[in-house]
Amino acid sequence: MNRVIQVLVLAVLALVGLQWYVPRWVSSKVATQIMALDHGTRPQVEVTAIPFWYLLQGNFQDLYVNAQHVAVGPLTVADAQLNWEQGGLGVQALLHHRLSITRRGHMTVSITVDEAALAKFLAQQGKFQNPTVGIDPTGLTIGGKVLLGGVYVPLNTRGTLVVSSDRKSIIFHPTSIDGIQLPMVTDIEIFNVNAIKLPVNLVIQSVTLQKGSMEVKAQTP
């Protein structure tokens, strides 16, 4: 009888150990692959899968990613968070250093972009020269020079951010412009959710302006 109890205790301890180890092993593998893809700092990854053999089949209840200073397409974001529920990953693919989504589940992404990153993005687009950006809860201010008719002319404009009708893009809509004559500056695409390059379809849910930064939330439809 004592021997049976000992075997049962060892079995329980083994199950507890595997329940602790397996999700952390997968989390580490996912973090490594994300870091290899965006060439940024190692993100924080937490996988929840109960029981652990559910994860060995490629499924999980929740996968959370938190990363700082991540390149998202042409933008460098200060903070990016991803919460993925009831999804699936190919475990064999992880063993071969690849990320493979086997079940879409539901995904929510939140990114924070600061003024400096947004100004750098606008400069890279070629429409602005030495732009400056100011963000506050009431809107966005862009200063510098804008390209009109092949010539850069002084610009100081303030406007609002709106989500496009297909919920894929964030558009800057100027509401007041100083320093230039007509034609007025047209709407400018600030961010496209497809730039995140996730193998799932995402749509923008909200854009929140804060002092010095903006937060964009997107999710699977």
Side-chain angles (χ1 to χ4, degrees):
M1 187 68 178
N2 288 338
R3 187 175 182 82
V4 172
I5 293 175
Q6 290 175 350
V7 170
L8 290 175
V9 170
L10 290 174
V12 170
L13 290 175
L15 289 173
V16 171
L18 287 170
Q19 184 63 62
W20 179 89
Y21 174 77
V22 173
R24 283 162 178 77
W25 177 82
V26 173
S27 298
S28 177
K29 291 292 185 181
V30 172
T32 299
Q33 292 311 304
I34 292 174
M35 187 170 59
L37 288 172
D38 64 26
H39 307 290
T41 57
R42 188 177 183 85
Q44 173 191 356
V45 179
E46 297 177 5
V47 177
T48 300
I50 301 173
F52 69 87
W53 55 83
Y54 187 63
L55 185 56
L56 294 178
Q57 296 170 352
N59 303 308
F60 53 83
Q61 283 90 18
D62 186 76
L63 189 152
Y64 171 79
V65 179
N66 185 10
Q68 282 77 44
H69 306 293
V70 181
V72 179
L75 268 177
T76 299
V77 303
D79 181 78
Q81 297 182 30
L82 181 148
N83 199 71
W84 186 8
E85 300 173 333
Q86 303 302 327
L89 284 172
V91 177
Q92 288 296 322
L94 283 176
L95 290 172
H96 292 87
H97 311 292
R98 292 186 293 107
L99 281 176
S100 174
I101 293 179
T102 57
R103 188 170 65 165
R104 189 180 74 166
H106 180 74
M107 192 177 294
T108 302
V109 178
S110 175
I111 65 171
T112 301
V113 181
D114 61 26
E115 295 169 333
L118 191 51
K120 182 179 178 180
F121 165 77
L122 292 174
Q124 290 174 341
Q125 302 311 297
K127 295 179 181 179
F128 292 87
Q129 188 178 73
N130 301 322
T132 59
V133 173
I135 305 175
D136 62 59
T138 62
L140 192 72
T141 302
I142 301 177
K145 294 183 178 180
V146 64
L147 184 63
L148 287 177
V151 179
Y152 284 101
V153 295
L155 167 75
N156 185 19
T157 181
R158 183 168 178 81
T160 58
L161 293 180
V162 297
V163 179
S164 62
S165 58
D166 64 357
R167 296 164 65 193
K168 290 290 186 179
S169 300
I170 299 172
I171 308 297
F172 172 67
H173 176 69
T175 55
S176 63
I177 300 175
D178 298 319
I180 64 172
Q181 297 178 344
L182 295 178
M184 295 179 65
V185 178
T186 59
D187 290 352
I188 302 166
E189 183 181 89
I190 296 296
F191 173 74
N192 190 299
V193 73
N194 291 334
I196 300 178
K197 296 182 179 179
L198 290 172
V200 296
N201 183 35
L202 294 175
V203 293
I204 296 171
Q205 292 300 111
S206 65
V207 181
T208 304
L209 298 181
Q210 306 164 353
K211 182 63 177 177
S213 66
M214 68 176 185
E215 181 185 48
V216 182
K217 291 185 177 180
Q219 66 178 30
T220 49

